[in-house]
């Protein structure tokens, strides 16, 4: 932690508290046992840590049945993305590798060293034979799903690379924008859903709701595209659709000019609106996940996305630099998102209200954004109806025994846990004060403090106070002067 972090958390103590709570109180539903893994699988997880620390954490807490398949699924798609992003690879070779990646991922000993020396994840492909070695051990039904998604994504990336070579790489319509996000993220949601259902850890009905699977991926990808607009512009890439930005500026580069700041903010709010329209379907999807580790795996990124969306909404900094939510805020969101759907809905409600609060009538999208925020809250209210305190009090007074009988066991358990948490905290505080007191006294003694002299002086002072005779107050006033 640097000096800047120390200063920041000095004035944002609640965020520091969230970090400490996450590090101290978070208990993984399942823990990976590295000692029982072969060396090749250990190397795969090392690459997972290097390529994405955020996803690596939630993946390694997954149910043992899905731990390895999803970890390898991520590495395979990361390898595919590394080939697609590298502009030093010749077009013909790149398209061939992309279209055949789903087959080569199963070939024994296959690796790829054609990336440029500066490509970030080049080493993953150089040592990809470790991934193929472990991938061939995965259950055939899981491999079939991963192969299908890899094939579709590879074909989509190859088509996009061909368009880029022909000078048609820009995203023109919202339909093109949705299609691009589907290929790079929506397909991932589709593949993960099929893995969840196949493992028996999700409701089979999710397989029939393709729009819900797609929204999970699109919500994440669109939020990242909004957040990374400056970084992409610096790299001469444009993912914001012309159909949206052309309503506000003549040329996409104009969004980054200070004199067009208000138009740029209105354009960004239009992009946020496009992403926000997927939020309620993401919550609907999460309701179909049965197992806690799978729920955590899916819920954390979605909660991070809504928090990021609230951060970037009408924020001029996105056109100056890449911005992210703070580590403290991220830990708070993760703590809340690893409990249950109701807590995740509370996270969504909090950040949707932040968006609504930042919304301004000067924005041409003001009404649409207000409706989109209301739509999310309305959906949440349909799952968890808000309680009227007065009506609840009347019900308690009218039927106290019935209420007591039907009290939720989870509520009772939570209340009991809160009581013990308070007790433990008080013990911790008192213990800390005791240890500090002992330390200070010991330090004083080492530096030569004479506690015996201090005790003698205090004893003499109190003994004198007890034995001294009472004195009659003397009136010094001259009565004649009165």
């Amino acid at each position: 932690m640097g000096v800047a972090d120390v200063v920041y958390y000095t004035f944002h103590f609640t965020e520091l508290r969230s970090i400490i709570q996450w590090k101290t109180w978070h208990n993984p539903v399942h823990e990976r046992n590295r000692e029982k893994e072969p060396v090749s699988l250990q190397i795969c997880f090392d690459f997972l840590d290097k390529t994405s620390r955020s996803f690596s954490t939630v993946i390694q807490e997954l149910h043992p049945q899905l731990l390895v398949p999803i970890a390898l699924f991520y590495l395979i798609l990361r390898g595919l993305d590394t080939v697609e992003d590298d502009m030093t690879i010749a077009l013909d070779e790149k398209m061939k590798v992309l279209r055949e990646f789903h087959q080569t991922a199963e070939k024994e000993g296959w690796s790829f060293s054609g990336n440029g020396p500066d490509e970030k994840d080049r080493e993953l492909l150089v040592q990809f034979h470790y991934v193929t070695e472990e991938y061939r051990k995965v259950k055939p039904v899981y491999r079939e799903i991963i192969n299908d998604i890899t094939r579709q994504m590879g074909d989509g990336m190859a088509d996009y690379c061909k368009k880029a070579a022909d000078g048609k790489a820009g995203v023109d319509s919202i339909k093109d924008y949705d299609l691009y996000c589907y290929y790079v993220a929506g397909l991932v949601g589709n593949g993960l859903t099929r893995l969840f259902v196949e493992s028996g850890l999700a409701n089979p009905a999710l397989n029939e709701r393709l729009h819900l699977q797609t929204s999970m991926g699109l919500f994440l990808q669109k939020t990242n595209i909004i957040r990374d607009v400056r970084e992409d512009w610096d790299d001469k890439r444009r993912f914001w659709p012309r159909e949206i930005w052309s309503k506000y500026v003549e040329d996409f580069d104009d969004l980054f000019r200070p004199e067009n700041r208000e138009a740029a903010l209105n354009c960004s709010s239009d992009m946020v609106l496009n992403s926000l329209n997927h939020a309620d379907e993401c919550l609907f999807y999460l309701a179909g996940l049965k197992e806690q580790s799978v729920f955590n795996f899916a819920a954390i990124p979605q909660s991070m996305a809504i928090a990021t969306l609230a951060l970037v909404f009408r924020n001029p900094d996105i056109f100056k630099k890449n911005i992210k939510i703070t580590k403290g805020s991220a830990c708070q969101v993760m703590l809340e998102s690893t409990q249950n759907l109701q807590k995740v809905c509370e996270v969504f409600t909090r950040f949707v209200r932040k968006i609504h609060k930042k919304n301004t009538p000067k924005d041409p999208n003001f009404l649409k954004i207000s409706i989109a925020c209301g739509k999310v809250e309305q959906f949440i209210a349909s799952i968890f109806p808000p309680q009227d305190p007065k009506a609840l009090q009347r019900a308690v007074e009218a039927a106290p025994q019935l209420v007591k009988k039907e009290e939720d066991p989870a509520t009772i358990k939570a209340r009991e846990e809160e009581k013990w948490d308070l007790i433990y905290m008080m013990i911790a505080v008192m213990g800390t004060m005791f240890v500090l007191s002992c330390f200070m006294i010991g330090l004083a003694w080492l530096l030569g403090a004479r506690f015996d002299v201090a005790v003698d002086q205090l004893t003499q002072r109190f003994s004198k106070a007890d034995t001294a005779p009472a004195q009659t107050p003397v009136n010094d006033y001259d009565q004649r002067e009165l």
Side-chain angles (χ1 to χ4, degrees):
M1 184 179 287
V3 177
D5 292 331
V6 173
V7 174
Y8 177 83
Y9 289 119
T10 300
F11 295 97
H12 298 82
F13 187 75
T14 55
E15 292 191 23
L16 178 62
R17 178 173 173 265
S18 296
I19 296 174
I20 295 172
Q21 284 182 325
W22 175 258
K23 298 289 187 184
T24 306
W25 298 107
H26 174 67
N27 294 317
V29 183
H30 305 285
E31 292 193 52
R32 169 181 159 237
N33 192 339
R34 183 182 177 91
E35 296 178 357
K36 294 183 178 180
E37 297 171 351
V39 176
S40 55
L41 186 57
Q42 293 179 14
I43 294 174
C44 288
F45 278 108
D46 290 341
F47 275 117
L48 189 65
D49 287 333
K50 293 175 184 177
T51 53
S52 176
R53 293 202 62 84
S54 56
F55 273 108
S56 177
T57 301
V58 291
I59 288 175
Q60 294 186 56
E61 295 181 5
L62 275 169
H63 190 281
Q65 191 172 345
L66 289 175
L67 172 61
V68 175
I70 289 182
L72 297 177
F73 185 26
Y74 180 87
L75 291 176
I76 288 170
L77 296 186
R78 172 62 72 173
L80 192 68
D81 189 58
T82 302
V83 174
E84 192 262 344
D85 281 346
D86 194 342
M87 304 307 293
T88 65
I89 303 174
L91 178 62
D92 291 340
E93 182 184 8
K94 178 185 289 189
M95 291 181 64
K96 183 175 184 296
V97 173
L98 291 174
R99 294 194 189 279
E100 296 177 356
F101 206 86
H102 65 288
Q103 297 173 335
T104 53
E106 289 191 284
K107 287 184 179 179
E108 184 177 359
W110 185 85
S111 61
F112 182 74
S113 56
N115 286 104
D118 297 328
E119 189 63 31
K120 184 179 65 171
D121 296 322
R122 180 182 188 277
E123 195 60 28
L124 169 63
L125 287 170
V126 171
Q127 300 189 48
F128 206 77
H129 55 277
Y130 291 115
V131 178
T132 61
E133 180 180 345
E134 289 302 320
Y135 184 54
R136 284 181 288 109
K137 301 176 185 176
V138 173
K139 289 172 60 175
V141 65
Y142 291 157
R143 288 208 310 271
E144 182 181 347
I145 295 171
I146 296 172
N147 284 349
D148 181 43
I149 299 302
T150 306
R151 176 186 58 78
Q152 294 184 61
M153 188 174 289
D155 287 341
M157 288 180 172
D159 293 340
Y160 185 81
C161 289
K162 183 67 168 63
K163 287 182 180 180
D166 295 338
K168 302 176 182 178
V171 180
D172 290 328
S173 66
I174 294 177
K175 184 178 179 181
D176 294 337
Y177 180 50
D178 287 343
L179 183 62
Y180 171 78
C181 292
Y182 172 74
Y183 274 123
V184 299
L187 278 172
V188 179
N190 176 252
L192 288 172
T193 302
R194 291 162 64 184
L195 291 172
F196 296 158
V197 172
E198 185 62 40
S199 65
L201 302 178
N203 191 326
L206 288 178
N207 264 346
E208 303 168 7
R209 307 265 179 111
L210 184 61
H211 63 288
L212 298 183
Q213 306 169 21
T214 302
S215 284
M216 288 287 285
L218 264 59
F219 186 57
L220 299 181
Q221 184 65 22
K222 288 182 175 182
T223 300
N224 290 340
I225 286 175
I226 299 169
R227 182 197 64 194
D228 298 338
V229 62
R230 177 69 197 205
E231 183 180 334
D232 290 332
W233 184 69
D234 289 338
D235 293 337
K236 303 188 184 308
R237 296 183 296 182
R238 172 175 62 80
F239 297 108
W240 288 25
R242 179 187 294 272
E243 185 178 339
I244 289 180
W245 62 258
S246 62
K247 293 188 291 186
Y248 305 95
V249 290
E250 292 293 329
D251 188 82
F252 185 71
D253 294 348
D254 294 340
L255 291 173
F256 301 89
R257 302 182 190 281
E259 61 269 24
N260 298 325
R261 188 49 39 84
E262 190 62 30
L265 289 175
N266 293 339
C267 181
S268 69
S269 69
D270 206 340
M271 292 291 294
V272 168
L273 173 63
N274 182 274
S275 178
L276 192 60
N277 286 329
H278 298 287
D280 58 330
E281 293 189 340
C282 294
L283 294 173
F284 197 176
Y285 178 95
L286 292 174
L289 302 178
K290 300 178 182 178
E291 204 269 337
Q292 185 65 47
S293 70
V294 173
F295 178 84
N296 295 351
F297 172 78
I300 288 176
Q302 302 301 324
S303 296
M304 291 292 191
I306 192 67
T308 301
L309 212 57
L311 175 67
V312 301
F313 180 65
R314 296 199 65 82
N315 188 340
D317 286 344
I318 65 171
F319 299 102
K320 303 174 185 177
K321 59 185 179 180
N322 185 268
I323 62 175
K324 294 183 180 180
I325 59 176
T326 63
K327 187 175 180 181
S329 297
C331 287
Q332 181 183 0
V333 168
M334 289 191 294
L335 278 168
E336 295 173 303
S337 303
T338 51
Q339 298 184 47
N340 52 52
L341 181 60
Q342 186 170 5
K343 284 293 183 181
V344 173
C345 286
E346 290 174 5
V347 171
F348 269 68
T349 299
R350 182 168 75 249
F351 288 109
V352 161
R353 288 178 179 174
K354 285 186 177 182
I355 292 174
H356 185 71
K357 186 177 181 180
K358 291 167 68 176
N359 198 14
T360 170
K362 296 186 296 181
D363 191 330
N365 302 291
F366 172 74
L367 185 58
K368 291 180 180 179
I369 290 171
S370 298
I371 293 173
C373 291
K375 180 184 173 185
V376 176
E377 290 205 53
Q378 185 179 21
F379 176 79
I380 293 172
S382 69
I383 306 175
F384 303 104
Q387 296 291 334
D388 181 358
K390 293 182 179 179
L392 187 60
Q393 181 63 30
R394 287 195 297 270
V396 170
E397 293 172 355
Q401 297 301 322
L402 181 62
V403 173
K404 183 177 181 181
K405 181 180 178 181
E406 295 183 353
E407 189 170 7
D408 186 5
T411 304
I412 299 173
K413 183 180 178 181
R415 190 187 305 122
E416 188 69 18
E417 289 179 352
E418 288 177 2
K419 182 184 75 174
W420 282 106
D421 284 346
L422 180 61
I423 293 173
Y424 292 147
M425 187 173 292
M426 292 177 65
I427 292 173
V429 170
M430 296 300 294
T432 302
M433 293 178 64
F434 177 76
V435 171
L436 287 175
S437 300
C438 291
F439 174 77
M440 296 299 293
I441 292 171
L443 182 62
W445 180 76
L446 288 173
L447 294 176
R450 293 292 303 275
F451 293 109
D452 55 335
V453 175
V455 171
D456 289 342
Q457 290 180 350
L458 286 172
T459 303
Q460 293 174 9
R461 180 174 298 178
F462 283 115
S463 63
K464 287 181 180 180
D466 293 338
T467 57
Q471 297 181 1
T472 304
V474 179
N475 190 348
D476 293 333
Y477 294 114
D478 189 344
Q479 300 293 330
R480 291 172 298 176
E481 293 181 3
L482 294 176

